[in-house]
Amino acid sequence: MAGTNRQWILESRPTGEPTMDNFDLRESEIPEPDHGEVLVESRYLSVDPYMRGRMRDAESYAEPWDVGDVMQAGVVGDVVESNHPEFEEGDVATGNLRWAEYAVADGDDLQPVDPDLAPVSTALGVLGMPGRTAYFGTLEVAEPEPGDTVLVSGAAGAVGSVVGQISKLAGARVVGIAGADEKIDWLTEELGFDAGINYKEADNLYAAVGEACPDGVDAYFDNVGGEITDAAFAHLNVRARVAVCGQISLYNATERPMGPRKLAGLIETRARVEGLLVRDWAGRFGEATEQLAEWVQTGDVQYRETVTEGFENMPEAFLGLFDGVNIGKQLVEVE
C-alpha cells in the first residue's frame, strides 16, 4: 500500500517530567505486511502512565524504549491488508502497536474487536487493559467484601473508576481520591461512590482520609503512591488488603523521596500489600472482558473517555496525564 505514514519517535530521554523536546514526529512509507502479518490503520491510540517508565534507561516490568525507537501504544484500528487467516480487510482489531498512523503486526498478537458489543474505543479502556486491571486487581487482590470500606486513589482514572464500581457491586462502601471537584462530582453523583476527597483542596490528607473513612480502610487500591498512600496506610484496618497498581506521583521524580517507613505498622494491622501486573491473568482476559461488557451493557459499570483529536497531538495527550487533565480513559483519535 503506497503512501506516507507518520509516527512518533523517542527523541531523547526525559529528566524529570517529559517535555515536547523528548518527542519527534517523522514520516516513512506505509509498511507492507509479510506472511502471517496484518496492516492496521490506527483509529484510536492509548496513552498510559506506565509509558513514562519505558522512556528511562532503567530496568522495569516493561522493557525501556531506545532513543530513536518508534514509541508503542495500545491501538484500535481497521485492517486494511491481511496475510493472516483470522483477519480480513475491514475488520476492527486491537493490539500493542505503535504511535503511528499505520502499523504492521503478527496476526497472532492482535485481538478482534466487536463493534456491536460497545464503541470500539472501549477496547483500550473499560473493556481493555485498564478495565481488566481493575477487574483482577479488585477481585483477586483487594478482595472487597460486603460492609468493607474501600479507598481508591486515582479514582477518576481509567482503572480507579472501574475499581470503585466493582467494589460497590461487591457490597463495599467506596471512597475515591482525585484532584478536582469535577472528578469528585462524577465519582459520587454518577458512579455511586459513597464519598470523595479532593486531595488538592485538603489541608491535611491524614485527617481527610479519617473523616471519609471513619471505620478505617479495609482495602486500599493504590494508583498514585506518595503522600496520598502515606495517609491511606495510617488508616488501614486489621487484615486490610493493599493493591499496588501504580505510583504516578513518583514517575517523574529525579530522586526517590523518603516517606514514612510503613512496614512497622503492618505488624499491628497484619495487612497484606501486593503489587499487581494484569499480564499475570492473561489466561483469563476473556472472562474479564465478558463480565465487564455485561456490566457496561446493564449500566452497572459506567465509563468516560477523554479524547484528544489529531494524531499530531499524541505527546500533549500523554503529558496531560501528569497534570491530571483527563477523566476516565485518555485516548487520541486519529483524524
Side-chain angles (χ1 to χ4, degrees):
M1 178 178 177
T4 301
N5 184 30
R6 294 188 298 171
Q7 47 193 5
W8 281 102
I9 305 294
L10 179 63
E11 176 71 9
S12 60
R13 297 198 186 281
T15 300
E17 188 165 339
T19 70
M20 286 298 299
D21 291 337
N22 301 126
F23 307 89
D24 187 37
L25 183 60
R26 300 182 188 177
E27 294 185 352
S28 64
E29 294 183 356
I30 295 175
E32 296 287 342
D34 290 331
H35 177 73
E37 292 184 333
V38 176
L39 176 63
V40 177
E41 181 179 7
S42 301
R43 192 187 299 190
Y44 292 96
L45 300 97
S46 174
V47 290
D48 300 278
Y50 81 88
M51 293 175 176
R52 176 62 183 86
R54 302 196 69 180
M55 298 176 75
R56 60 169 57 93
D57 187 15
E59 288 191 13
S60 178
Y61 63 86
E63 183 179 354
W65 294 312
D66 290 329
V67 173
D69 279 354
V70 180
M71 300 178 69
Q72 296 176 355
V75 174
V76 167
D78 300 301
V79 174
V80 293
E81 189 174 344
S82 175
N83 292 321
H84 190 280
E86 298 299 321
F87 293 94
E88 59 184 32
E89 182 180 348
D91 288 346
V92 182
T94 185
N96 187 35
L97 303 177
R98 295 183 163 204
W99 284 33
E101 292 175 304
Y102 294 87
V104 162
D106 187 321
D108 291 341
D109 296 330
L110 296 174
Q111 296 80 46
V113 175
D114 182 358
D116 296 326
L117 187 64
V120 298
S121 58
T122 59
L124 299 176
V126 66
L127 302 186
M129 182 269 287
R132 292 191 290 261
T133 299
Y135 179 87
F136 292 112
T138 303
L139 299 179
E140 302 291 338
V141 182
E143 297 180 322
E145 298 179 357
D148 278 353
T149 294
V150 176
L151 179 65
V152 185
S153 62
V159 175
S161 58
V162 179
V163 168
Q165 293 178 86
I166 294 175
S167 297
K168 287 294 295 182
L169 290 171
R173 179 177 182 272
V174 179
V175 177
I177 304 175
D181 289 342
E182 180 187 5
K183 295 180 179 182
I184 298 300
D185 290 344
W186 180 54
L187 296 176
T188 57
E189 296 176 10
E190 297 186 38
L191 301 192
F193 282 56
D194 297 280
I197 301 169
N198 181 346
Y199 72 90
K200 292 184 179 179
E201 298 295 331
D203 294 328
N204 183 313
L205 273 173
Y206 171 84
V209 172
E211 182 179 352
C213 307
D215 297 322
V217 174
D218 298 295
Y220 172 49
F221 199 101
D222 184 15
N223 288 303
V224 302
E227 294 180 358
I228 291 174
T229 292
D230 294 340
F233 265 66
H235 293 277
L236 294 179
N237 287 333
V238 172
R239 303 296 180 190
R241 290 84 59 201
V242 178
V244 183
C245 180
Q247 301 281 283
I248 193 172
S249 70
L250 306 177
Y251 289 167
N252 293 321
T254 55
E255 295 183 3
R256 188 57 57 100
M258 178 63 72
R261 302 182 187 274
K262 308 181 185 74
L263 292 182
L266 300 180
I267 299 172
E268 179 181 356
T269 62
R270 285 87 81 196
R272 170 169 54 84
V273 181
E274 183 177 346
L276 66 107
L277 292 175
V278 69
R279 67 189 185 203
D280 290 342
W281 291 277
R284 295 172 57 192
F285 281 0
E287 166 199 329
T289 302
E290 182 178 355
Q291 180 61 78
L292 288 163
E294 179 181 327
W295 283 333
V296 168
Q297 289 170 344
T298 60
D300 289 323
V301 167
Q302 300 180 50
Y303 67 93
R304 278 181 67 173
E305 297 170 340
T306 299
V307 180
T308 298
E309 296 184 355
F311 177 75
E312 65 278 4
N313 296 318
M314 283 285 294
E316 287 92 339
F318 173 69
L319 297 176
L321 295 173
F322 302 101
D323 295 325
V325 300
N326 63 295
I327 298 180
K329 180 70 188 116
Q330 175 66 62
L331 298 170
V332 173
E333 183 177 11
V334 179
E335 294 180 317

